[in-house]
Amino acid sequence: MNKNTPGPILSGPHSVELGGRKIPYGLRESQKAKNLQIKITEGIGLEVVIPKNYPLSQVEVLLKSKEDWILNKMSEVSGIEQRRKKKPFEDSQLVYFLGQPYRLVVVFQQSPPSVELMGDRIIVMLPQHYSHKVRDLLELWFRTKAKEILSQRLDVLKRKMNVEYNQFFIKDQKTRWGSCSGQGNLNFNYRLVMAPLAVVDYLVAHELAHLVEMNHSKKFWDLVQSVCPEYKKYRQWLKEHGWRLEL
């Protein structure tokens, strides 16, 4: 979770040449920021948050030093944006649940809409005139499953880590898998349950650890590792395969 609240946009426009092209970016000043922060998000693009009185001449220097990371992250976010341009579902396309691929089957019938997991298929049943609601029904099913599974994993891991949270919420976060608030509330992306259960456990442990350490210090990672010894492997899995976890 990022506690820094950016202030007003500093006068611009601002741009930097990376990878042979000029990339615009927003520049904000934060009273709470201690270091320069680089953010790349859907719909906003590249944004830089700087501490008060940070020398503007150093912004471009730092951006150029992070060129590879910025270009890779921008490409990743652009891919997410493209996938979010909703396309009609097709029979037999793959949908992931707990790390396993399932074939989507849409069945039109005159009965209340429902979603069922049967063998290697996820079957969406609904009346023909609700054909445009397939995605909505599938998302609702995933949200319900996410609430069930995350509730179970939170109960198990909070005892192992000896921590307590306030509430947890299932959300459709654009670029985050989870977050923790200063009030002890946890947020999880519903698409997380498309990942293997071990990856789910890593994310749960990650957010529970933030109840103790609101940072990513060695103490934080030691706490995560105490219940998830192979957390680095699961963190890497999300980086490499997270783009697949979409509807």
Side-chain angles (χ1 to χ4, degrees):
M1 188 187 99
N2 183 0
K3 286 185 171 183
N4 295 327
T5 303
I9 298 175
L10 298 180
S11 59
H14 306 278
S15 64
V16 60
E17 187 169 319
L18 300 175
R21 60 192 175 106
K22 187 172 287 189
I23 297 175
Y25 65 90
L27 185 62
R28 295 179 180 272
E29 186 178 83
S30 169
Q31 299 287 339
K32 296 182 179 180
K34 294 181 180 179
N35 300 294
L36 182 146
Q37 300 167 11
I38 302 172
K39 300 180 178 182
I40 300 169
T41 53
E42 285 184 73
I44 296 176
L46 177 61
E47 185 178 31
V48 180
V49 179
I50 59 175
K52 188 173 177 60
N53 299 322
Y54 189 90
L56 298 183
S57 61
Q58 291 301 305
V59 173
E60 185 169 328
V61 174
L62 193 140
L63 290 176
K64 285 184 176 293
S65 74
K66 300 287 186 181
E67 179 175 343
D68 289 344
W69 181 87
I70 291 172
L71 293 177
N72 288 335
K73 188 66 176 179
M74 290 186 72
S75 177
E76 177 186 327
V77 170
S78 176
I80 292 173
E81 289 177 335
Q82 289 300 314
R83 290 191 295 277
R84 285 185 182 278
K85 292 178 180 178
K86 306 300 186 184
K87 298 178 181 179
F89 277 113
E90 298 176 357
D91 255 1
S92 294
Q93 77 177 66
L94 289 179
V95 178
Y96 288 84
F97 177 59
L98 292 180
Q100 297 298 314
Y102 291 85
R103 292 290 175 184
L104 176 69
V105 177
V106 179
V107 177
F108 295 116
Q109 60 184 35
Q110 293 304 314
S111 60
S114 64
V115 179
E116 292 185 15
L117 188 65
M118 298 180 64
D120 62 351
R121 299 173 297 166
I122 292 180
I123 303 176
V124 179
M125 294 169 279
L126 73 173
Q128 176 78 52
H129 60 278
Y130 282 154
S131 60
H132 62 290
K133 293 291 188 180
V134 172
R135 190 183 304 276
D136 292 342
L137 284 170
L138 201 53
E139 180 177 325
L140 178 60
W141 184 82
F142 270 105
R143 284 177 178 270
T144 301
K145 291 296 182 183
K147 190 170 184 179
E148 293 174 358
I149 292 168
L150 286 164
S151 177
Q152 294 168 1
R153 302 319 298 162
L154 280 165
D155 283 348
V156 170
L157 289 170
K158 75 174 185 180
R159 288 195 292 270
K160 288 185 177 181
M161 299 171 72
N162 193 30
V163 295
E164 285 292 339
Y165 64 92
N166 184 23
Q167 301 179 74
F168 83 93
F169 302 94
I170 304 300
K171 295 192 174 184
D172 182 10
Q173 295 165 302
K174 303 301 183 184
T175 58
R176 307 178 77 176
W177 294 109
S179 60
C180 173
S181 77
Q183 291 72 45
N185 296 323
L186 307 179
N187 299 310
F188 294 99
N189 193 318
Y190 79 88
R191 288 186 294 275
L192 181 58
V193 292
M194 298 178 187
L197 190 59
V199 176
V200 175
D201 276 356
Y202 155 64
L203 252 297
V204 169
H206 184 117
E207 300 311 329
L208 286 173
H210 275 313
L211 295 170
V212 180
E213 296 287 337
M214 290 297 285
N215 51 51
H216 290 103
S217 63
K218 185 179 185 302
K219 287 183 179 180
F220 169 86
W221 290 114
D222 285 347
L223 181 54
V224 173
Q225 190 172 34
S226 69
V227 292
C228 187
E230 296 185 286
Y231 78 87
K232 291 181 180 178
K233 179 172 75 173
Y234 304 131
R235 183 175 59 179
Q236 187 62 32
W237 189 96
L238 274 176
K239 289 180 180 179
E240 294 179 1
H241 303 286
W243 63 272
R244 297 177 181 271
L245 312 182
E246 292 281 346
L247 290 181

